[in-house]
């Protein structure tokens, strides 16, 4: 069965657009990102204006073969064969089309919202109900104004149940999502007590969320959470669960931890029933109760519900990029397989440039609602479009459709065991491997063999947060201002090509590194954007020109040497950057040198000046604002002189992170974004949540000891507890970057949500913390820093700046990159 198709003229009518139709095409794919085109035929591109203007991408999509467009205005350029549908509001048009599509189906739809647990509850309901239903749901956590229409668009005739989550960030958004999802049954998950940004207060937030349920016949919710909101609850039927109120439909009266599980007893319709949850953390227990209540509300028996809940498995929404064996990178997505999430994972795979080769290991896909030949044709098209070099298909259905796959190397196995037996025949070396399998194929067995074992201290890097921060600063830029992303010093300690891949994919204009070697490493990992080397050394000229790295010229001596190098090697018009010293007194030409510099630049055939820049010494501090102004004035004077002799325009830039917001008039043509990318800005307090710290440094407890008051702890007997208590030894020391200055109670770590102090001196590979007041055991996770225990706080503790904390994390600490 195919996805329902619409013609261009039908779409035009549904979204109420103007514009001429060149050819009435058949449409079944919605596109909102021109980089993600895998199959242009049947696709319609919505030019959403957001962080970047979607209209810029029309040409890219057109060249890729897309012929149908929804736009706010006529695009610039010549698109003779395109159908250009013009509307007032492109996002609203996307939503209208999805809402229309929804109306074509008469199936039961469950709508899920709340402030926490939406995605988990949706995924668990999917796990629990898919034994007897063919379910359509949001891929991952696609629950936004754009995500929901794309999710609902997947609905087809085979589905007999929809489960959609909806997330809102401000008042007025839920009505739109409701009109697309049109749920008949509502499920409300946990509502936090804080009011999120975007809402005036908690009332406003709850009332907005409840709008999802305004046309529902039944709502499942927790009694305590909705006390005081009776009036606002619209659905006539309610299924209420509670841990206190004995008149609730499901009254949970007894709870106990049994090893790794959580055992619940409850009253339901006058009977005592029970349920075993295979998790015991608070959030999972609550989410599981919500699912339990929902199953009962849907009419499942208590026995069925218990039986299925016991088999719930963790939901991993992350795509993790890990170091693999033999220099491989492994993207581990081995719990989940459908066409939508395959496409998301393949997009992530295709962003990786560090290896020559991309491999996909895929299992059969269950429950797509499509006929097998249609499904696997789609999969094969995707695999081809995303330029997978090697394909390994596992499962009978893939094997049966092996002829559909056009890949340089392909092989097929009936099941996971057969593949594991033959795995030695595949030399996995120096490639990026995406592992994507349905749960029953147990791909974790393959993952265990491919992924390098991690030392237990890891730094997790959240690539979504990186993107969030990039977009935050982009939203602060004057129109047309370019971004140079500073990735020097292992991207401030966070990684190399892993971050550069994301930045390149998201079209930053330049990357900057400190030394040529860092640039060479990025080039060798497939990074192709213009790359600037800040600390140019004469000895690295050969490498610079071989790898197309653009040097910064900061002195006459360096300039002369570079010209000589160019002459010796027959190089002309080589792109270079001129640094002006306006007050840092570190590197750069000073004001009295500009004239001589201009003489050298005049009609110089060897170099082409790409940019002229300077660096602010205190863009973040008010106290030095006058000095900053002086720097800006000196910079203007210098670049005006230089541009005059050159006779062409150069890119001018002076702002670092803090300058972007504090000195918008000095953004000129480009800004150099450093620490802000990593989620830190001296002018933005962490509590404002405008930025997302990208790094979390975690370790674990290797041993716990009882110590008496007066016992000493660690080298030189510097530490002790005031009264009898317990200390935990954790696997991080000064060789990992946890400096000795943090010792003896100066530093804190976060364990089970509680801050605890260090005891005694920090050792090379470990240190001790006071856990007298916390319930912990060996192996428990300890957070050194995270968004809950910010780097800014650590910096304050030892009197330094966040930059130093980040870049100190040593290379022996494994980095794990993830993408949610
Ligand atoms: C590191 C660096 C930056 C970035 O500074 P942040 O404060 O991290 O944004 C900008 N310009 C130059 C020349 C740098 O060396």
């Amino acid at each position: 069965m195919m996805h329902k198709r619409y013609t261009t003229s039908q779409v035009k009518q549904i979204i109420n657009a103007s514009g001429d139709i060149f050819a009435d095409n058949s449409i079944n794919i919605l596109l909102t990102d021109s980089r993600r085109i895998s199959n242009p035929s049947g696709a319609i591109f919505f030019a959403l204006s957001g962080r970047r203007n979607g209209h810029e991408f029309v040409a890219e999509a057109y060249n890729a073969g897309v012929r149908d467009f929804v736009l706010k205005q006529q695009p610039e350029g010549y698109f003779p064969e395109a159908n250009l549908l013009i509307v007032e509001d492109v996002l609203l048009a996307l939503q209208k089309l999805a809402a229309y599509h929804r109306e074509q189906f008469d199936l039961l739809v469950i709508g899920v919202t709340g402030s926490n647990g939406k995605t988990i509850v949706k995924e668990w309901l999917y796990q629990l109900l898919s034994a007897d239903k063919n379910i359509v749901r949001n891929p991952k956590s696609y629950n936004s104004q754009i995500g929901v229409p794309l999710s609902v668009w997947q609905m087809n005739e085979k589905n007999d149940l929809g489960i959609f989550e909806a997330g809102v960030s401000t008042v007025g958004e839920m009505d739109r999502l409701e009109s697309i999802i049109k749920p008949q049954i509502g499920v409300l998950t946990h509502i936090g007590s804080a009011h999120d940004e975007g809402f005036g207060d908690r009332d406003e937030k709850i009332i907005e969320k409840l709008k999802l349920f305004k046309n529902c016949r039944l709502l499942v919710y927790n009694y305590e959470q909705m006390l005081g909101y009776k009036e606002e609850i619209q659905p006539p039927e309610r299924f209420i669960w509670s841990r206190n109120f004995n008149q609730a439909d499901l009254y949970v009266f007894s709870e106990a931890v049994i090893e790794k599980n959580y055992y619940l007893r409850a009253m339901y319709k006058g009977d005592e029933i029970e349920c075993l949850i295979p998790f015991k953390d608070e959030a999972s227990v609550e989410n599981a109760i919500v699912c339990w209540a929902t199953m009962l509300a849907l009419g499942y028996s208590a026995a069925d519900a218990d039986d299925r809940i016991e088999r719930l498995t963790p939901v991993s929404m992350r795509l993790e990029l890990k170091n693999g064996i033999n220099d491989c990178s492994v993207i581990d997505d081995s719990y989940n397989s459908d066409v939508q999430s395959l496409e998301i994972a393949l997009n992530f795979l295709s962003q990786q440039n560090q290896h020559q080769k991309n491999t996909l290991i895929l299992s059969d896909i269950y429950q797509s609602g499509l006929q097998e030949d249609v499904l696997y044709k789609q999969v094969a098209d995707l695999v081809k479009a995303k330029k997978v070099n090697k394909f390994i298909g596992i499962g009978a259905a893939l094997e049966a459709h092996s002829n559909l796959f056009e890949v340089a190397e392909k092989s097929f196995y009936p099941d996971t065991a057969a593949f594991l037996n033959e795995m030695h025949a595949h030399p996995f070396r120096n490639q990026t491997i995406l592992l994507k399998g349905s749960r029953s194929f147990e791909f974790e067995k393959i993952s265990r063999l491919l992924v390098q074992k991690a030392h237990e201290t890891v730094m997790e890097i959240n690539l979504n947060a990186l993107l969030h921060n990039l977009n935050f600063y982009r939203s602060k830029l004057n129109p047309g201002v370019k971004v140079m992303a500073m990735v020097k010093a292992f991207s401030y300690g966070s990684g190399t090509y892993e971050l550069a891949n994301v930045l390149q994919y998201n079209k930053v204009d330049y990357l900057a590194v400190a030394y040529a070697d860092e640039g060479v490493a990025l080039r060798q990992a497939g990074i192709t954007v213009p790359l600037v080397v800040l600390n140019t050394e004469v000895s690295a000229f050969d490498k610079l020109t071989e790898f197309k790295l653009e040097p910064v010229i900061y002195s006459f001596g360096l300039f002369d040497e570079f010209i000589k190098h160019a002459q010796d090697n027959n190089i002309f018009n080589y792109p270079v950057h001129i640094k002006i010293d306006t007050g840092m007194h570190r590197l750069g030409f000073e004001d009295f040198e500009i004239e001589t510099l201009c003489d050298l630049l005049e009609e110089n055939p060897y170099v082409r000046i790409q940019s002229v820049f300077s660096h602010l010494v205190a863009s973040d501090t008010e106290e030095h604002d006058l000095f900053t102004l002086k720097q800006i004035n000196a910079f203007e004077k210098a670049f005006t002189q230089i541009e005059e002799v050159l006779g062409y325009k150069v890119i001018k830039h002076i702002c670092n992170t803090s300058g972007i917001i504090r000195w918008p008039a000095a953004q000129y043509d480009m800004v150099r974004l450093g620490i802000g990318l990593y989620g830190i800005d001296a002018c933005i307090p962490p509590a404002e949540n405008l930025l997302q710290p990208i790094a979390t440094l975690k370790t674990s407890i290797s041993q716990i000891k009882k110590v008496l008051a007066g016992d000493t702890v660690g080298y030189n007997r510097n530490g002790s507890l005031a009264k009898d208590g317990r200390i935990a030894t954790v696997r991080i020391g000064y060789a990992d970057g946890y400096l000795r200055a943090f010792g003896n109670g100066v530093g804190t770590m976060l364990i089970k949500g509680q801050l605890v102090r260090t005891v005694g001196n920090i050792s090379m590979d470990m240190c001790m913390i006071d856990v007298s007041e916390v319930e912990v055991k060996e192996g428990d996770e300890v957070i050194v820093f995270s968004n809950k225990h910010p780097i800014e706080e650590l910096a304050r503790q030892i009197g330094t700046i966040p930059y130093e904390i980040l870049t100190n994390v040593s290379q022996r600490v494994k980095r794990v990159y993830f993408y949610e």
Side-chain angles (χ1 to χ4, degrees), residues 486 488 492 534 579 586 615 656-657 672 674-675 803:
M486 309 308 281
K488 61 193 181 193
Y492 292 43
L534 298 167
K579 184 161 192 184
R586 196 170 65 176
H615 197 25
N656 64 338
T657 295
R672 298 188 306 274
I675 193 112
Y803 299 73

Side-chain angles (χ1 to χ4, degrees), residues 439-563:
R439 194 169 299 273
S440 60
F441 280 84
E442 301 184 66
F443 271 18
E444 56 276 16
K445 289 183 179 160
I446 305 175
S447 150
R448 245 175 265 141
L449 296 176
L450 290 178
V451 174
Q452 244 182 26
K453 280 182 195 51
H455 168 57
E456 288 193 64
T457 300
V458 295
M459 182 144 90
E460 291 188 346
I461 304 294
N462 180 342
L463 299 176
N464 295 84
L466 179 76
L467 198 53
H468 168 92
N469 299 332
L470 174 64
N471 287 326
F472 171 79
Y473 285 101
R474 275 191 168 146
S475 76
K476 303 289 173 195
L477 296 182
N478 304 324
V481 174
K482 297 180 191 308
V483 175
M484 178 185 283
M486 309 308 281
V487 295
K488 61 193 181 193
F490 296 104
S491 305
Y492 292 43
S494 309
T496 59
Y497 59 79
E498 300 90 347
L499 282 84
N501 276 335
V502 176
L503 296 167
Q504 169 166 303
Y505 186 74
N506 288 285
K507 311 205 167 168
V508 300
D509 303 279
Y510 271 96
L511 293 176
V513 293
Y515 293 99
D517 289 346
E518 298 176 71
V520 171
L522 289 178
R523 283 280 183 261
Q524 285 173 334
I527 299 297
T528 53
V529 282
L531 251 165
V532 171
V533 175
L534 298 167
N535 299 27
T536 311
E537 299 160 297
V538 177
S539 59
F541 283 165
D542 282 329
K543 277 195 182 145
L544 281 178
T545 46
E546 182 189 346
F547 288 93
K548 295 200 164 51
L549 306 173
E550 303 179 10
V552 166
I553 302 292
Y554 51 78
S555 71
F556 290 120
L558 190 67
F559 195 17
D560 283 349
E561 293 285 350
F562 192 75
I563 299 297

Side-chain angles (χ1 to χ4, degrees), residues 257-275:
V257 176
I258 302 178
E259 290 176 2
K260 290 193 164 156
N261 303 312
Y262 203 80
Y263 177 63
L264 300 175
R265 288 194 296 157
M267 293 305 294
Y268 171 62
K269 289 189 172 166
D271 291 329
E272 192 181 314
I273 63 171
E274 58 178 12
C275 179

Side-chain angles (χ1 to χ4, degrees), residues 662-694:
R662 293 202 69 234
W663 299 94
Q667 290 176 358
Y668 300 108
D669 306 310
M670 182 155 78
V671 294
R672 298 188 306 274
L673 180 57
I675 193 112
L677 263 182
Y678 310 104
I680 295 167
D681 185 331
C683 313
I684 304 181
E688 284 183 24
N689 286 329
L690 294 174
L691 296 174
Q692 298 177 4
I694 73 163

Side-chain angles (χ1 to χ4, degrees), residues 579-587 613-621 624-636 653-668 671-672 803:
K579 184 161 192 184
I580 310 293
D581 181 357
T582 54
M584 176 78 95
H585 296 123
R586 196 170 65 176
L587 296 179
F613 73 105
S614 186
H615 197 25
L616 298 175
V617 305
S619 60
D620 57 343
T621 17
H624 299 301
D625 280 355
L626 263 174
F627 189 81
T628 303
L629 268 177
K630 265 196 202 155
Q631 284 196 280
I632 291 171
N633 286 333
F635 178 54
E636 296 225 354
H653 47 116
I654 193 168
C655 282
N656 64 338
T657 295
S658 294
I660 295 174
I661 294 173
R662 293 202 69 234
W663 299 94
Q667 290 176 358
Y668 300 108
V671 294
R672 298 188 306 274
Y803 299 73

Side-chain angles (χ1 to χ4, degrees), residues 371-385 391 397-407 410 412:
Q371 268 162 13
E372 283 194 350
D373 42 354
V374 176
L375 168 69
Y376 291 108
K377 176 76 174 70
Q378 275 187 19
V379 171
D381 286 347
L382 264 179
V383 168
K384 187 173 170 201
F391 179 80
L398 273 171
E399 210 168 20
H401 295 88
S402 58
N403 59 329
L404 294 174
F405 289 84
E406 297 170 45
V407 195
K410 58 179 180 178
F412 294 85

